[in-house]
Amino acid sequence: MRTVALALTIAVLASLSPAYGDTFTVTSTADSGAGTLRQAILDANGSLGTDTIDFAIPEGECSAAGVCTIDLVTVPDLVTEAVFIDGTTQPRYGTAPANVCATETAPSYMRIEILGLPSFADYTFRIASASPSSVRGMALNRGYPVNLQSSGAHRVQCNHIGVSADGTAKVSTNWGVVVDGAANGAVIGVDGDGVDDLGERNIFSAGTGIYINGNDNNVVAGNFFGLGADGVTPLSASLAVYIRQGSSNNLVGTNEDEVSDDLERNVIGNCSTGVNLDSRTGSGDANLVVGNRFGLDVEGGMASNFTAIRLTDSGVDHEIRDNEIFWSSVGIKIEEASAMGTLSTGNCLVGNIDGVVHEGTADAWLEDNWWGSEDGPSGDGPGSGDSISVTGTGSVDLDPWLTTVPSHCTIFTDGFESGDTSAWSATAP
Ligand SMILES: [Ca+2]
Ligand SMILES: [Ca+2]
Ligand SMILES: [Ca+2]
């Protein structure tokens, strides 16, 4: 009797199992029809529960280097159910390296490229599932690659966005990842759980890399902006990370929990603006920019941004902490009434034409930072390398400053003089 009951249970489970965790495989680069990405999204939406979309496009539809390109003609359907879209499943053909996501010995290399649509906000992937979805392992180029619009703790990891599949060239792309609607709790890049964190890095060279609009508690970590997959090849971006319109408690960088903190560092170079907190039409508070590298590539070479960090904002308690801020025209630019929190410490501001420009009305705290010299900021006028330019009514509190280089600032720890801009490139992007 017990055997019969067990068999019945197994039979019931077996009959249910196809409804959960199905895999739909993309086998065509065509825009619509059987085996296409569009059909896989429709199938995953129609199959109850979290599914996976894999790729197995035949060699004949791919380039000699093994890159298979889907050139979209119309917008794919809204993703309404959780799905893991995983470009790393595409077989290797041709001369493409075997690795896909970054490893200790090789940069990331994508085999699936999806060319989006050029029309405004015609997103390639529109994620609206209530449970976590993920977009992984693809070169997402042209137009508007990803829109997260639900609070599903979604993941965008191991992609090239506005960057060629081989990670060496910029591909014109408007907005990389747009977080809006009610999309709180997403991770774009490294989740810092100690598992495969290096392989979760995205590479961005889009016009605007990440755009967080009125959303809270999202994490942007471990990505390269304006650099190739090797972390050195100079690409470019207008704006790496744009957080606006009442967005609060977002983290750009490391959470400082001593797990994978180095891998959570974003490296931002060759951009017009690195991180912009902009809440002029809705106050966003307590966004954190922590432990990032601005203006240097992964090897410490110069990768000048025009403005590293810009606060165009009426929010309070933003923390700009423990960052390397090098070789900008302006290191930190404060506009409007933006207020930096009292924990804006531990930054290394070195080689910037202006360290801080303050045009706003709120007081800014920048105590306990390193200015390239034990003597602190020079206090000289603009162009001296570490000057503080205050033209608004808010004050900047710099004193005390650090008199030794913090350990996380690994470049120019010896022999670099305050005010030395001789190595600065006059042609910021
Ligand atoms: Ca499903
Ligand atoms: Ca991880
Ligand atoms: Ca961490």
Side-chain angles (χ1 to χ4, degrees):
M1 192 62 190
R2 179 174 292 173
T3 306
V4 170
L6 182 61
L8 194 61
T9 303
I10 291 170
V12 169
L13 287 173
S15 70
L16 288 174
S17 63
Y20 294 91
D22 283 344
T23 297
F24 300 99
T25 303
V26 178
T27 57
S28 167
T29 55
D31 183 72
S32 61
T36 59
L37 174 64
R38 180 183 312 281
Q39 189 61 49
I41 290 173
L42 287 170
D43 291 345
N45 284 342
S47 173
L48 185 65
T50 301
D51 301 307
T52 300
I53 294 178
D54 281 356
F55 292 80
I57 296 171
E59 185 171 5
E61 296 190 39
C62 306
S63 73
V67 177
C68 317
T69 300
I70 297 173
D71 188 347
L72 292 175
V73 178
T74 55
V75 180
D77 291 79
L78 185 72
V79 171
T80 57
E81 275 224 329
V83 65
F84 298 148
I85 305 167
D86 188 358
T88 68
T89 54
Q90 172 65 30
R92 174 190 181 189
Y93 301 128
T95 56
N99 63 293
V100 176
C101 301
T103 68
E104 289 287 350
T105 56
S108 53
Y109 191 114
M110 302 293 118
R111 290 179 219 138
I112 295 294
E113 179 183 41
I114 302 179
L115 297 176
L117 298 160
S119 305
F120 177 69
D122 272 356
Y123 298 101
T124 298
F125 291 114
R126 291 175 292 152
I127 308 295
S129 61
S131 301
S133 288
S134 73
V135 175
R136 179 171 188 265
M138 292 169 276
L140 302 174
N141 293 328
R142 201 173 67 190
Y144 302 80
V146 180
N147 175 212
L148 306 179
Q149 52 179 265
S150 60
S151 272
H154 307 303
R155 299 285 187 269
V156 179
Q157 297 173 321
C158 176
N159 300 288
H160 292 181
I161 297 179
V163 180
S164 59
D166 67 3
T168 64
K170 181 181 178 72
V171 181
S172 182
T173 302
N174 286 13
W175 297 351
V177 178
V178 174
V179 181
D180 70 1
N184 302 326
V187 176
I188 301 163
V190 172
D191 62 18
D193 65 355
V195 179
D196 191 32
D197 290 329
L198 174 59
E200 293 164 358
R201 169 192 302 146
N202 299 290
I203 313 299
F204 287 91
S205 188
T208 296
I210 297 171
Y211 186 115
I212 297 176
N213 188 39
N215 284 225
D216 306 333
N217 300 308
N218 299 288
V219 174
V220 175
N223 304 291
F224 294 166
F225 295 88
L227 297 161
D230 60 0
V232 175
T233 301
L235 305 181
S236 67
S238 296
L239 178 48
V241 182
Y242 190 22
I243 298 178
R244 71 184 295 266
Q245 200 93 351
S247 301
S248 294
N249 300 302
N250 296 286
L251 169 63
V252 179
T254 172
N255 59 9
E256 298 187 320
D257 70 349
E258 300 185 354
V259 179
S260 294
D261 290 342
D262 288 349
L263 293 174
E264 293 159 18
R265 171 184 72 174
N266 296 288
V267 182
I268 301 174
N270 309 306
C271 296
S272 296
T273 301
V275 176
N276 189 3
L277 307 182
D278 179 358
S279 292
R280 281 170 287 187
T281 55
S283 180
D285 302 326
N287 292 300
L288 310 180
V289 182
V290 182
N292 302 287
R293 169 172 285 191
F294 295 88
L296 299 167
D297 63 32
V298 296
E299 295 180 354
M302 180 183 289
S304 294
N305 301 297
F306 190 78
T307 302
I309 299 171
R310 184 176 174 203
L311 293 90
T312 314
D313 190 287
S314 55
V316 297
D317 291 335
H318 301 304
E319 293 177 20
I320 312 297
R321 194 166 74 236
D322 297 342
N323 300 285
E324 294 170 296
I325 303 172
F326 277 67
W327 308 125
S328 315
S329 182
V330 180
I332 300 174
K333 186 172 188 183
I334 306 169
E335 301 167 82
E336 306 283 328
S338 189
M340 293 170 65
T342 53
L343 291 176
S344 293
T345 61
N347 301 289
C348 296
L349 291 110
V350 178
N352 303 291
I353 293 289
D354 277 311
V356 175
V357 171
H358 191 355
E359 301 173 347
T361 57
D363 296 336
W365 284 270
L366 273 163
E367 298 175 352
D368 297 316
N369 294 287
W370 169 253
W371 298 89
S373 161
E374 66 182 34
D375 299 329
S378 68
D380 296 340
S384 66
D386 58 359
S387 72
I388 312 301
S389 172
V390 178
T391 59
T393 56
S395 65
V396 181
D397 187 353
L398 304 163
D399 193 2
W401 49 77
L402 298 179
T403 55
T404 56
V405 189
S407 60
H408 59 268
C409 296
T410 54
I411 308 298
F412 297 116
T413 52
D414 296 310
F416 190 82
E417 295 298 322
S418 172
D420 181 359
T421 60
S422 58
W424 194 83
S425 165
T427 53

